[in-house]
Amino acid sequence: MPGNGQHEFVPTCQQQEAIEHVHGPMLVVAGAGTGKTTVLARRIAHLINSGAARPDEILAVTYTRNSAAELVSRVAEILHPGLESRAAAAKLMSSGLQANTFHAYCFGLLSDASIKFELIDDIDQFVYLRRRVASLKLKYFIESANLGKFLQDLLTFFKRCQDELRTPDDYTAYVESVALRKVPLPRVEKSKTALTDEDVVGRCREIARVYRQLEEMLQQDGLGTFGHIIARAVDLLSRRQSVLLRAQKRARFVLIDEFQDSNVAQIKLARLLGGEAANVFAVGDPDQGIYRFRGASSEAFDQFLATFGVERVKRVTMSANRRSTPTILSCAYEAIRCNPEVGSTKLEGGGWEREPLSCARLELEDDPQLAQASPVQCVAYTDHEQEAEFIADSIEAMRRERPGMKLSDIAVLYAQHRNRDTLLGELRRRGIPVQVKGANLLETPEVRDAMAVLQVLDSTNLIALLRVAALTKFEVDPRHFRAELALADRNASGEPELEKAAGGREVVQAIRMARRELANANGALEAAMKIALSAFELPDSAPLCCLQRFAGMWLAKPTAIAGKQTLHEFLEYMEYFRDADGHLSEDSEDAVSALAPKDLGAEPENAVQLMTIHAAKGLEFPCVFVIRVGRPSLPSNNQEPLVEFPKQLRAYDSAVEDDPKKLHADEQRRMFYVAMTRAMDELYLYGKAGREKRQPAPPSGYLRELADLAKGPLRGALESHILPPTIRQIHAAAAPLPRVLQWVQLEPRQNGRMDQLSASAIDSYDRCPLAFKLKRDWTIPEDPHASMQYGQAMHLALKAYFDGVRAGRPPGEEDVIACFLDEFAKTSIAEDEQRRRYEQDGREQLTSFLRSPNAQPAGAIHENESNVAIVVGGMTVRGRIDRIDCIAGNRVRIVDYKTGRAKSQEDADESLQLSIYALAAKQDGLDPVSLAFVNLKDGTVAETSRGAGDLLEAETKVMEVARKIAAGEFDPKTGPHCKNCSYVSICPEQELLTITPVTPDTAKVN
């Protein structure tokens, strides 16, 4: 910050009051940039210098280890000004001062009391539970197609229980109250799902049982999570007086930073440590509370008053901002004032009044330009490429016009990691240095190459083999390889086909030799990593070093299966790791290391800093760009948790509104406010332009609100711009794509089966044209999803049944079920529990179907499992109709069975599949008066019909897809489907190419 460190610190009256306060509880509401860390540091120094406390009687609790290190450094600088910073910090810590996170402090407290357990993080807890899902015997919270789907929701709920200090006994008692109708029924499923009262109680009891079972399993295995640390520490202090007294002596004065991020358990801990004296000092800003998903909320301030007594708590508000210019502060205030003020059941008036932040820099800095600081720039763009180009242009202009400026003074903030990719590519293309915080290195070419090698060493995997064949060590002809795959059986492993391709023999030989070497090492992971690196000449790189370090940490994890620390087990772990949304980053570390004290470390690279708003919390930069302001990024859509936390289990009565959508909306606005208040001198806000009378207009949402105020309260503080549509320039990439990504984008084969479509193929193309191409042109099959194999077996069983009905000899229930079981036994489902669940589902669904009216045809069965084909605009469209029933004359009812998610009426009305079936029936002279989806899962039927306009619309859709295919339009399309896509590891849109660019000599395509 200009002037920061260039003048002596002169506290405001409020800061001085906070610094010099000694005894009793104090709550400081401190706005952004008002000097929270400075006040904490000077308060600690004041306590020591005044003799009020020794260093070993002070406990300072921060939210992150970086914040703790920064606080220690600041205090050391005040107390030992003559010493080098590291030496001063070491001397201070040796005097007994405790400065750490809540979790690190409590973990030490438990260890000192000989309460020891091995710590696992949230991802490993998911893996731990996922591996034991069969033992949970779930009835409600399980889905055969995805056994782990609900586990994250359940674990999130259990973590909330721990944050609220609610044990399995507490929740079980609550459930009994629900069963007796003493309290209202809670929500235990998505709001749109209708449940009977009995189902709700059943789900509650299942949650209670699994919560208890999980706690018992972890206890038995000597494990604990971050959620357990504070809960167990509170329990320890509550039960053992001697431990409490010892802890209180070492924490006569407790200071809590970022208090808005505190939860019930942390406040209870502070109350126990504070004792009768209650020398607890808390400082935070309710307008910067952005961790509601971790149990924190603005209720913390009211809970503090309730815990320590509203009459006893001294309150101070700090509103003199020392960071930002007046224009930035004005815009930030207008953005946040739409949120409700912090409510309170304890204070007169019902809460804290929000105060606009004043600019303290006007008084502290001798800069006449500050009063006329640059307005905040609100920029509307037409597409993400234009946004990226404009920001890159702005940064390049800054470099030209400000020779002394450091690039690390520029930060680009966004709500979600994927928001950065277009800009990141543009900055790299122009050679602008970039440092990305929190990048998932599993998406980099280096790590994906290494994982592909490890996969082919372990087992046959065609997609991984394709990536290995494209490594720079080899010279494979991709077109020849593709042609061989097209000639092979659909279940081909790919290795015989690769061996026939030019240059492919060397790849297969290298794989075989590496497999033999790995077998001699008994499949050990360490050996596998060394073999992969050496035999396939993987380049040394930072992402690859991170993967090696991560593999080493996995070997030491308490959840690693003893005696099974092999490559195969590691790859299985990585599958679960991805399911749990695990990330591999440069600062990845094991759970215990995450609690260790941390040095401040080196200064950031002299590069533009890219990070999420959450990661930027507590930081400041002279220049800030906030991108993708607007839905669905900022604000994001509310993701409703599967299970709500009931009011009856909350520790405190709340003055905060309970509507989850409103709470989410308020938190999203706070995120926007946090992003804005990171800026010191310049702030740029970017959002996609709206449309008014076919002309670009200011973006909707936050930016529209600010733009509307530019002629009023924000006159002179904000300038709004709408970028005109531009003709996209074709830029040469900074470096070619990795070879495998070039391969998948080769022009299609002439005989690539692209001229034969079906309803599912059209849906597949709409979902992602590149995935469609990889399946059709490269003939790389998708992973055999268990749900598809289950559906095929169910359809064969139903065909057998209706063949019997048509012949006048309908088979019995047990015969139909036996047919299903025989067919399902042929499937390749590796997991026993998933197979068992599907077998159970099949029995139940077939039994229910056969006993329902749905098993009775509407008339004589005209066709049963019949293949159909129609020609639309020169394109052949094929399908397979499950059943056609004659109603009268040529009037028929077309039936399609659905074994997965139940199809709704809207699904039926909009289904292209049913439209194509109707077209096929008409082609055969039939009149399809009824089209029906029969949902085997819940026994419902969604019935619809098609008029002439509907059928014309379907034909138009087919022709449009056919046109795009003929034009070679196979660009990848991102969306929620990407997470479960079989081709994600070879998709250009899903590869993080800009961390370590590929050089031209390593990206040759044959």
Side-chain angles (χ1 to χ4, degrees):
M1 181 171 71
N4 191 21
Q6 300 176 10
H7 51 78
E8 183 178 352
F9 173 72
V10 179
T12 64
C13 295
Q14 292 80 12
Q15 287 177 324
Q16 191 70 33
E17 185 177 0
I19 291 168
E20 295 182 352
H21 172 80
V22 177
H23 297 295
M26 173 175 265
L27 183 57
V28 179
V29 175
T34 57
K36 291 189 291 291
T37 305
T38 298
V39 166
L40 283 168
R42 291 189 172 272
R43 174 171 167 75
I44 292 171
H46 175 75
L47 289 172
I48 296 171
N49 286 333
S50 67
R54 300 190 308 271
D56 63 357
E57 295 177 318
I58 299 173
L59 168 64
V61 186
T62 64
Y63 199 70
T64 67
R65 291 184 296 154
N66 280 336
S67 299
E70 171 71 18
L71 182 59
V72 169
S73 177
R74 297 265 197 108
V75 176
E77 184 181 316
I78 298 169
L79 295 178
H80 309 294
L83 289 180
E84 184 269 332
S85 58
R86 286 183 179 272
K91 183 175 182 179
L92 176 60
M93 294 305 290
S94 67
S95 68
L97 175 71
Q98 300 178 90
N100 222 320
T101 63
F102 270 111
H103 290 96
Y105 170 74
C106 289
F107 195 70
L109 203 65
L110 293 167
S111 298
D112 291 344
S114 298
I115 299 177
K116 299 187 183 297
F117 55 89
E118 294 190 89
L119 187 62
I120 59 175
D121 60 27
D122 291 343
I123 298 293
D124 282 336
Q125 183 180 207
F126 173 88
V127 175
Y128 176 88
L129 203 57
R130 176 65 182 82
R131 280 177 167 157
R132 294 159 178 79
V133 69
S135 68
L136 300 179
K137 301 189 185 307
L138 297 173
K139 176 182 177 183
Y140 299 100
F141 293 99
I142 194 163
E143 189 174 275
S144 300
N146 186 346
L147 299 186
K149 179 180 179 182
F150 302 110
L151 295 186
Q152 279 182 297
D153 287 296
L154 291 179
L155 290 173
T156 299
F157 178 78
F158 299 155
K159 188 173 183 298
R160 175 68 189 275
C161 288
Q162 292 162 353
D163 289 342
E164 293 270 350
L165 298 175
R166 295 303 184 183
T167 66
D169 285 343
D170 294 327
Y171 187 72
T172 298
Y174 161 76
V175 172
E176 290 311 308
S177 296
V178 171
L180 296 172
R181 306 299 192 270
K182 292 182 179 179
V183 297
L185 295 172
R187 183 180 59 75
V188 286
E189 184 50 273
K190 297 298 184 182
S191 296
K192 293 182 179 179
T193 305
L195 298 176
T196 65
D197 290 0
E198 290 70 22
D199 273 344
V200 171
V201 173
R203 286 167 182 256
C204 286
R205 286 191 166 137
E206 183 161 280
I207 293 169
R209 178 178 57 77
V210 174
Y211 187 17
R212 185 179 303 280
Q213 189 174 348
L214 175 60
E215 293 292 294
E216 290 173 351
M217 287 192 302
L218 291 172
Q219 191 81 31
Q220 183 177 347
D221 291 340
L223 302 174
T225 67
F226 285 96
H228 287 111
I229 291 176
I230 299 178
R232 291 180 182 179
V234 169
D235 179 64
L236 169 68
L237 296 178
S238 300
R239 288 187 298 102
R240 294 171 59 175
Q241 187 69 11
S242 60
V243 175
L244 175 61
L245 292 174
R246 187 164 61 247
Q248 287 175 337
K249 288 180 180 179
R250 290 290 323 277
R252 282 188 56 231
F253 291 88
V254 179
L255 298 89
I256 306 174
D257 191 15
E258 301 289 358
F259 184 68
Q260 74 278 353
D261 298 327
S262 298
N263 57 41
V264 169
Q266 292 163 349
I267 296 171
K268 178 66 178 293
L269 178 75
R271 180 68 186 92
L272 287 167
L273 292 174
E276 290 299 319
N279 297 323
V280 179
F281 178 93
V283 56
D285 180 8
D287 283 336
Q288 295 187 71
I290 57 174
Y291 289 101
R292 191 169 60 92
F293 64 91
R294 292 180 179 171
S297 74
S298 56
E299 296 176 42
F301 294 85
D302 212 27
Q303 291 172 17
F304 191 94
L305 296 178
T307 299
F308 294 101
V310 66
E311 301 83 6
R312 192 179 182 191
V313 174
K314 191 164 184 64
R315 302 192 305 277
V316 172
T317 299
M318 293 175 7
S319 57
N321 179 284
R322 295 171 177 244
R323 175 187 299 155
S324 305
T325 63
T327 56
I328 293 172
L329 294 177
S330 296
C331 292
Y333 177 71
E334 292 299 333
I336 196 62
R337 71 182 302 189
C338 296
N339 266 7
E341 295 174 343
V342 181
S344 171
T345 60
K346 305 297 177 184
L347 295 177
E348 291 184 14
W352 279 267
E353 184 178 352
R354 179 180 291 115
E355 295 184 15
L357 298 180
S358 62
C359 181
R361 289 174 59 183
L362 290 171
E363 299 178 8
L364 297 173
E365 298 176 24
D366 185 17
D367 184 358
Q369 300 294 323
L370 191 58
Q372 287 80 41
S374 300
V376 171
Q377 303 297 308
C378 177
V379 182
Y381 56 85
T382 55
D383 57 47
H384 299 323
E385 288 75 16
Q386 187 185 45
E387 176 192 46
E389 290 177 359
F390 194 74
I391 293 174
D393 288 343
S394 301
I395 293 173
E396 284 189 328
M398 292 177 188
R399 296 178 79 182
R400 289 194 305 269
E401 298 165 7
R402 310 174 196 177
M405 184 193 74
K406 294 190 297 183
L407 284 176
S408 56
D409 288 341
I410 302 173
V412 179
L413 309 183
Y414 36 81
Q416 295 141 17
H417 287 294
R418 65 176 180 269
N419 297 154
R420 68 173 178 233
D421 293 344
T422 305
L423 173 61
L424 185 54
E426 181 66 16
L427 295 176
R428 286 294 194 189
R429 188 189 66 77
R430 300 193 190 198
I432 299 174
V434 177
Q435 184 175 15
V436 183
K437 187 169 184 177
N440 185 8
L441 301 183
L442 288 174
E443 299 173 354
T444 60
E446 300 93 329
V447 172
R448 283 193 165 164
D449 286 346
M451 290 300 296
V453 170
L454 294 174
Q455 286 172 326
V456 298
L457 292 186
D458 179 62
S459 62
T460 299
N461 184 311
L462 180 52
I463 294 173
L465 180 65
L466 182 69
R467 186 148 200 134
V468 172
L471 291 174
T472 55
K473 172 182 171 64
F474 307 113
E475 294 296 333
V476 175
D477 182 339
R479 293 176 177 83
H480 192 178
F481 182 27
R482 181 176 62 176
E484 292 295 339
L485 286 174
L487 295 173
D489 180 82
R490 62 180 298 180
N491 296 317
S493 69
E495 290 182 26
E497 292 71 34
L498 177 59
E499 199 165 16
K500 296 175 187 176
R505 183 181 298 275
E506 291 78 8
V507 184
V508 177
Q509 288 176 342
I511 292 171
R512 289 170 181 166
M513 289 178 62
R515 284 174 178 166
R516 285 195 293 270
E517 190 176 346
L518 180 60
N520 291 334
N522 297 317
L525 175 60
E526 288 181 296
M529 293 295 295
K530 292 176 182 177
I531 293 168
L533 293 171
S534 61
F536 294 87
E537 298 178 8
L538 300 178
D540 185 26
S541 66
L544 207 47
C545 289
C546 285
L547 177 63
Q548 291 176 271
R549 189 170 67 248
F550 182 82
M553 289 190 296
W554 176 79
L555 290 169
K557 283 180 180 289
T559 51
I561 302 172
K564 293 187 177 181
Q565 296 172 314
T566 63
L567 170 62
H568 183 78
E569 295 296 330
F570 176 70
L571 292 176
E572 179 191 81
Y573 171 83
M574 291 305 295
E575 286 298 313
Y576 294 148
F577 184 82
R578 291 189 186 92
D579 285 346
D581 297 324
H583 278 54
L584 172 65
S585 62
E586 291 182 354
D587 55 357
S588 292
E589 55 191 353
D590 60 44
V592 175
S593 298
L595 297 176
K598 189 171 186 177
D599 292 330
L600 282 177
E603 290 289 318
E605 297 175 18
N606 187 23
V608 178
Q609 304 293 299
L610 269 66
M611 65 189 74
T612 64
I613 298 170
H614 281 101
K617 180 85 177 295
L619 304 179
E620 57 185 29
F621 303 91
C623 177
V624 169
F625 293 86
V626 186
I627 65 173
R628 306 289 174 92
V629 181
R631 290 191 182 279
S633 300
L634 185 64
S636 66
N637 297 323
N638 181 41
Q639 297 296 318
E640 182 182 67
L642 185 67
V643 181
E644 70 173 345
F645 190 82
K647 295 180 183 179
Q648 292 77 13
L649 289 179
R650 294 181 187 174
Y652 293 93
D653 292 330
S654 172
V656 178
E657 185 175 344
D658 288 322
D659 179 12
K661 291 184 179 179
K662 181 65 168 63
L663 291 174
H664 175 78
D666 291 347
E667 183 176 53
Q668 289 292 297
R669 188 177 289 274
R670 291 195 295 270
M671 277 187 61
F672 182 50
Y673 176 75
V674 166
M676 296 175 74
T677 54
R678 300 311 94 200
M680 298 159 65
D681 301 313
E682 296 175 79
L683 175 61
Y684 300 83
L685 308 173
Y686 287 80
K688 195 166 186 178
R691 304 292 295 179
E692 287 182 2
K693 296 180 180 178
R694 300 186 180 181
Q695 296 297 318
S700 59
Y702 306 147
L703 298 191
R704 174 66 66 92
E705 293 171 1
L706 293 178
D708 288 345
L709 296 173
K711 296 179 181 179
L714 294 182
R715 182 185 299 274
L718 180 133
E719 291 181 354
S720 183
H721 309 273
I722 301 175
L723 301 181
T726 58
I727 298 175
R728 183 74 54 236
Q729 297 180 5
I730 305 299
H731 295 297
L737 291 173
R739 192 187 286 176
V740 69
L741 302 187
Q742 296 186 54
W743 285 13
V744 302
Q745 295 183 85
L746 290 171
E747 69 283 356
R749 293 178 292 117
Q750 292 300 313
N751 57 344
R753 295 192 303 114
M754 296 294 197
D755 58 345
Q756 296 184 19
L757 290 178
S758 65
S760 61
I762 293 171
D763 286 342
S764 174
Y765 180 89
D766 275 344
R767 189 164 53 250
C768 178
L770 180 62
F772 173 88
K773 177 189 173 188
L774 289 169
K775 186 174 182 179
R776 290 295 187 92
D777 181 47
W778 276 87
T779 60
I780 301 174
E782 295 179 277
D783 292 335
H785 294 299
S787 59
M788 293 180 63
Q789 298 181 71
Y790 167 73
Q792 290 168 0
M794 289 286 284
H795 275 73
L796 286 170
L798 290 171
K799 179 182 185 302
Y801 172 73
F802 283 109
D803 278 346
V805 172
R806 193 178 186 189
R809 297 184 300 274
E813 285 181 13
E814 290 305 315
D815 292 330
V816 178
I817 291 171
C819 178
F820 158 71
L821 293 175
D822 287 344
E823 291 297 332
F824 193 62
K826 303 172 186 176
T827 59
S828 56
I829 297 176
E831 191 167 357
D832 291 340
E833 175 61 12
Q834 188 168 45
R835 178 174 291 279
R836 187 192 70 78
R837 290 285 314 180
Y838 269 125
E839 288 177 351
Q840 179 180 322
D841 284 352
R843 288 176 180 275
E844 292 176 355
Q845 290 181 18
L846 287 172
T847 300
S848 177
F849 174 79
L850 294 173
R851 295 178 182 179
S852 74
N854 295 330
Q856 304 302 316
I861 297 176
H862 178 74
E863 293 286 351
N864 190 34
E865 292 288 337
S866 61
N867 293 316
V868 295
I870 59 173
V871 177
V872 178
M875 177 70 69
T876 301
V877 183
R878 301 185 183 278
R880 187 173 180 84
I881 300 178
D882 290 343
R883 202 177 82 231
I884 303 176
D885 299 340
C886 292
I887 297 176
N890 70 339
R891 300 173 71 223
V892 297
R893 181 178 190 249
I894 294 176
V895 177
D896 191 76
Y897 317 124
K898 293 301 178 185
T899 58
R901 179 186 66 84
K903 296 292 186 180
S904 66
Q905 185 62 50
E906 182 180 1
D907 293 328
D909 292 341
E910 297 179 357
S911 170
L912 178 64
Q913 178 187 24
L914 293 182
S915 295
I916 289 174
Y917 290 171
L919 285 168
K922 281 187 170 293
Q923 178 180 275
D924 289 343
L926 301 175
D927 181 13
V929 295
S930 172
L931 309 166
F933 281 143
V934 175
N935 297 308
L936 300 182
K937 190 170 185 177
D938 61 6
T940 60
V941 177
E943 196 145 6
T944 187
S945 61
R946 293 291 186 270
D950 300 319
L951 298 180
L952 179 61
E953 184 179 334
E955 291 178 328
T956 303
K957 174 66 178 178
V958 172
M959 289 188 287
E960 175 65 10
V961 170
R963 182 195 64 76
K964 291 179 178 179
I965 290 172
E969 297 181 17
F970 297 108
D971 290 336
K973 184 189 293 185
T974 59
H977 58 272
C978 293
K979 181 177 179 180
N980 298 315
C981 178
S982 300
Y983 311 112
V984 67
S985 63
I986 53 174
C987 174
E989 281 294 319
Q990 296 297 318
E991 192 134 336
L992 192 54
L993 301 170
T994 47
I995 298 297
T996 48
V998 181
T999 56
D1001 62 334
T1002 64
K1004 182 170 130 190
V1005 63
N1006 295 328

